[in-house]
């Protein structure tokens, strides 16, 4: 675990072609400063896994606008302010894998938890299960879903201690905890880094084992 | 008289048991919250990670860290709890919600629902949590106008739009009638400004009386 | 959710033949008063799912000694003080399904999370995977594991509020949270029931939706 | 001189990188904690739900709510976190622990481990978290005496006891030698009170020198 001085230091070394898990539900929990640093860092040909595909012209939308993203894996790309993604998608400049939100979260959980695959009832009989293996178990039909593992996770949290334990704030928690478990390198922007021992051990949401780099922004 | 959106929301609210755990889908279903009686003890779930969600805050109290699934500012009530997305969808998928209320483009006589994609070739698809909600809650209520702008019924023998979930809808609340989807077919529970016979004639779906 | 006055009220209605998930790791988190009440209540022919199979002569061991348990599903029955189980097992009076601890927890999580089955790497190539379906995924071999659902969960927690939100204390947390999700009826003994609103919403471990009955003991 | 249990634990401790996340199995492996240097930053995991576990408390400080996987009283260090069993085993199974140290009845030349069951027909089997630990950690270290009481080697061509995990052991720390299990076979890293040639003669497993 490294406490970084700058967002640039935090995103150092992210390679072209990486799968990057990006936290946030809309703007809540979105690691905007890390994404800005990633834009400056220059990695390209990225696969981005995130619930949405960018809002307005900042954060994930800005990364998309720079042409750095080859493929988006998400549940809800289309929003009132998703014009950047919309344009790229219509022009065939970005690939989309649409995943129901619960399967998206559970596929990342599986990656983090060492589960090889799981049978989900979500999406059965819909276009999003087409071509996937199905099985009837105990009278119900399920579709086989595979893990989504990230090379890197970029997430936003509220506070970290110097070991990397994290707490979040309200619904900004969303995809942060599961993405932290699912990436080889988990990079976190927080509002403040506190001394080790200041966070209540009973209330820590992401234990330090999942966190590689932290930066206060 | 057919029902207004608010009257439809009130009709749904009346059928939600006291103390139920409920998810209200984006759009019209969110109106249902305004019609839950004081002291109902109904606990609202929002899939971005909160149980016991409260109403929209005043402008001064808006907190960007506290939104609902429609990304609108909300509040927390006493007894709230926060959790991450994997936990939230485990809760939904695991059948712990008593009721979810969804909007829909179409519902079939067999309880299939289509509410995420019109199938238009140039549309950008977005599904969010709709498929998880459709198959997860113990009771799935749909709230929609019965007829589309072109006059066609949205309660259909079989959905023509891409499906959200199969055989999962329990009740359909519309402006002109309330339907129950049963293993034996579609039962008309109530009509508003129309009659059972008018409906039976206009819909392609076999109906029966409650 | 009902706040019960007595443990007897809390366990009312548990039926013969039920599958009962019993929390605790050794004595930490063991719902001793609920088990005592279950003994008095009289339900029999039970399947008990718990990490251990009883310690000493109290709690789960006492339930076993009364002959109420047909089958134990657990990871670690044999302990220095597991003489009750040991005797019954050697006499062929109780059936044992031995499950690796992580698969035990994950199978209950699957039940609570609506997952139909999952591929686990744990136990592959060992006697505990014999007869189970295996599959190679991405170069690794996994064994298919099915959910374990309870009719009832009996768990111990530290505090509850009047809605049923729970917090635990230190390593007494263990199987409580996952069992709470996996049973039709979740019954909890706590040290104190506090007013709704007194628990920090960010620190609640088991949200109220999973809890049916609470009793302070 | 062959190593004492404490010397074996010290040998293991020396090979644990600073800052590593480590699970020490029940029994002898717990001795390793006593040999980690001050300031190593090694974080101990106990599978019943705690990271950054501290040493045994004084008698007055014993807390029945705070134990390790062996159900012995322990303490928490600054920066600890608690979590439930499903989360704890997700952490293990997901490959997040850097090292786990296990005792064993037998280890095979291919890295299989047998440590949960002697196979005796009257034994009551108990596996606990051993199978999850064996396949979960990035590096699996085994700590055992090399020879059983009857003189037979516990490092074997193929385990005769029921397996705990297949092909998962990386290193074997014994009283008379330390071995590395590699795809190309078993490498002797160190010997204590014996020689490579003596070992090569006594073991049924092909060895090579480091």
């Amino acid at each position: 675990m490294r406490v970084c001085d700058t967002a640039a230091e935090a995103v150092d070394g992210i390679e072209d072609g990486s799968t990057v898990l990006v936290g946030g539900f809309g703007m809540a929990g979105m690691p905007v400063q890390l994404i800005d640093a990633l834009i400056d860092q220059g990695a390209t040909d990225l696969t981005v896994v995130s619930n949405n595909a960018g809002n307005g012209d900042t954060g994930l939308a800005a990364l998309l606008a720079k042409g750095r993203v080859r493929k988006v894996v998400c549940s809800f790309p289309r929003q009132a302010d998703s014009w950047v993604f919309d344009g790229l998608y219509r022009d065939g400049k970005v690939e989309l894998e649409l995943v129901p939100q619960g399967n998206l979260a559970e596929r990342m959980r599986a990656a983090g938890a060492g589960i090889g695959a799981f049978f989900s009832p979500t999406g059965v009989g819909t276009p999003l299960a087409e071509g996937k293996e199905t099985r009837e178990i105990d009278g119900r039909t399920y579709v086989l879903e595979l893990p989504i593992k990230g090379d890197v996770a970029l997430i936003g949290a509220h506070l970290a201690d110097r070991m990397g334990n994290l707490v979040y704030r309200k619904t900004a928690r969303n995809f942060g905890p599961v993405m932290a478990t699912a990436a080889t390198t988990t990079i976190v922007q927080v509002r403040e880094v506190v001394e080790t021992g200041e966070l209540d051990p009973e209330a820590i949401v992401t234990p330090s084992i999942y966190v590689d780099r932290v930066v206060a922004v | 008289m057919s029902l207004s959106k608010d009257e439809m929301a009130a009709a749904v609210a009346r059928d939600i048991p006291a103390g139920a755990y409920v998810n209200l889908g984006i759009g019209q279903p969110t109106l249902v919250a305004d019609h839950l009686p004081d002291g109902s003890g109904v606990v609202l779930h929002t899939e971005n990670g909160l149980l016991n969600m409260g109403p929209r805050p005043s402008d001064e109290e808006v907190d960007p860290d506290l939104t609902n699934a429609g990304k609108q500012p909300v509040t927390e009530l006493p007894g709230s709890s926060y959790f991450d997305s994997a936990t939230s969808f485990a809760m939904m998928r695991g059948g712990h919600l008593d009721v979810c209320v969804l909007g829909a483009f179409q519902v079939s006589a067999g309880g299939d629902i289509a509410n995420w994609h019109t199938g238009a070739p140039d549309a950008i698809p977005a599904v969010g949590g709709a498929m998880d909600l459709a198959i997860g809650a113990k009771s799935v209520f749909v709230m929609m106008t019965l007829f589309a702008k072109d006059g066609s019924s949205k309660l259909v023998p079989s959905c023509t739009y891409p499906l959200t979930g199969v055989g999962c809808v329990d009740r359909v609340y519309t402006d002109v009638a309330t339907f129950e989807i049963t293993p034996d077919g579609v039962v008309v529970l109530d009509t508003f400004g129309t009659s059972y016979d008018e409906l039976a004639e206009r819909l392609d779906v076999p109906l029966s009386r409650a």
Side-chain angles (χ1 to χ4, degrees), chain A, chain B:
Chain A
M1 222 304 285
R2 191 164 91 226
V3 177
C4 301
D5 291 327
T6 64
E9 182 188 345
V11 302
D12 185 46
I14 296 178
E15 294 182 6
D16 291 354
S18 294
T19 294
V20 183
L21 316 181
V22 178
F25 186 90
M27 293 306 288
M30 171 75 73
V32 173
Q33 282 83 348
L34 290 177
I35 298 169
D36 286 346
L38 178 59
I39 291 170
D40 292 341
Q41 189 260 4
T44 190
D45 193 33
L46 302 173
T47 294
V48 167
V49 183
S50 194
N51 188 58
N52 304 109
N55 302 74
D57 292 299
T58 59
L60 196 44
L63 185 70
L64 282 157
K66 293 280 185 187
R68 304 283 177 71
V69 180
R70 184 178 64 76
K71 180 179 177 183
V72 169
V73 181
C74 81
S75 89
F76 209 77
R78 189 199 58 227
Q79 300 185 265
D81 57 356
S82 63
W83 50 77
V84 171
F85 174 82
D86 298 0
L88 290 168
Y89 181 75
R90 290 218 164 88
D91 292 348
K93 290 184 174 161
V94 64
E95 194 182 331
L96 171 65
E97 179 181 348
L98 192 72
V99 182
Q101 195 171 150
N103 286 354
L104 187 69
E106 190 71 8
R107 289 173 66 186
M108 288 189 280
R109 184 198 177 266
I115 300 298
F118 61 93
F119 284 102
S120 171
T122 302
V124 168
T126 78
L128 299 190
E130 267 168 26
K132 297 189 175 188
E133 177 179 338
T134 60
R135 184 184 294 209
E136 191 174 316
I137 301 168
D138 209 10
R140 191 172 196 191
T141 306
Y142 295 85
V143 58
L144 188 69
E145 294 286 350
L146 295 171
I148 298 175
K149 185 158 182 59
D151 297 301
V152 177
L154 303 182
I155 65 175
H158 184 51
L159 303 176
D161 69 18
R162 301 191 70 82
M163 283 180 68
N165 290 298
L166 303 180
V167 294
Y168 301 80
R169 191 168 169 276
K170 302 191 186 282
T171 58
R173 188 184 300 195
N174 58 70
F175 283 89
V178 72
M179 287 179 171
T181 71
T184 305
T185 302
T186 293
I187 305 171
V188 189
Q189 70 170 60
V190 294
R191 286 158 182 158
E192 193 184 348
V193 177
V194 302
E195 291 306 313
T196 297
E198 287 189 33
L199 300 178
D200 177 1
E202 304 276 8
I204 286 168
V205 174
T206 294
S208 58
I209 193 170
Y210 295 116
V211 177
D212 297 286
R213 302 178 200 171
V214 161
V215 63
V217 294
Chain B
M1 277 284 287
S2 65
L3 302 186
S4 67
K5 286 177 186 177
D6 264 307
E7 288 166 333
M8 286 164 59
V12 173
R14 275 193 296 276
D15 287 353
I16 292 178
Y21 285 83
V22 177
N23 185 297
L24 302 175
I26 296 177
Q28 281 191 35
T30 59
L31 292 177
V32 172
D34 300 335
H35 297 277
L36 293 167
D38 287 346
S40 71
V42 167
V43 177
L44 296 181
H45 170 264
T46 180
E47 62 261 36
N48 51 323
L50 169 61
L51 268 176
N52 218 14
M53 176 174 64
R56 192 182 174 85
S58 67
D59 286 354
E60 303 83 66
E61 288 168 331
V62 166
D63 182 337
D65 283 348
L66 181 46
T67 72
N68 65 13
K71 304 183 179 78
Q72 301 302 310
V74 293
T75 50
E76 64 179 44
L77 296 177
S80 283
S81 54
Y82 293 101
F83 32 82
D84 72 281
S85 300
T87 305
S88 186
F89 281 85
M91 195 180 280
M92 292 158 65
R93 196 192 307 109
H96 302 282
L97 289 173
D98 296 299
V99 178
C100 85
V101 184
L102 296 171
F105 299 142
Q106 293 179 323
V107 175
S108 81
D112 299 349
I113 176 172
N115 77 347
W116 70 285
H117 196 327
T118 61
D122 66 334
I124 293 174
V127 68
M131 290 186 178
D132 305 273
L133 279 168
I135 60 87
K138 285 173 196 150
S139 296
V140 175
F141 293 174
V142 165
M143 186 177 157
M144 65 181 189
T145 56
L146 184 56
F147 298 104
K149 285 179 189 156
D150 67 2
S152 63
S153 172
K154 300 180 187 172
L155 182 62
V156 292
S158 160
C159 295
T160 55
Y161 289 158
L163 291 184
T164 307
V166 175
C168 54
V169 175
D170 297 287
R171 287 199 178 184
V172 183
Y173 293 82
T174 77
D175 49 343
V176 295
T178 303
F179 304 92
E180 183 151 17
I181 311 278
T182 79
D184 301 324
V186 179
V187 178
V188 179
L189 298 180
D190 216 342
T191 60
F192 312 104
T194 185
S195 69
Y196 175 85
D197 291 336
E198 276 183 286
L199 285 174
E201 187 167 346
R202 190 156 173 200
L203 301 188
D204 282 341
V205 170
L207 302 177
S208 62
R209 294 176 200 265

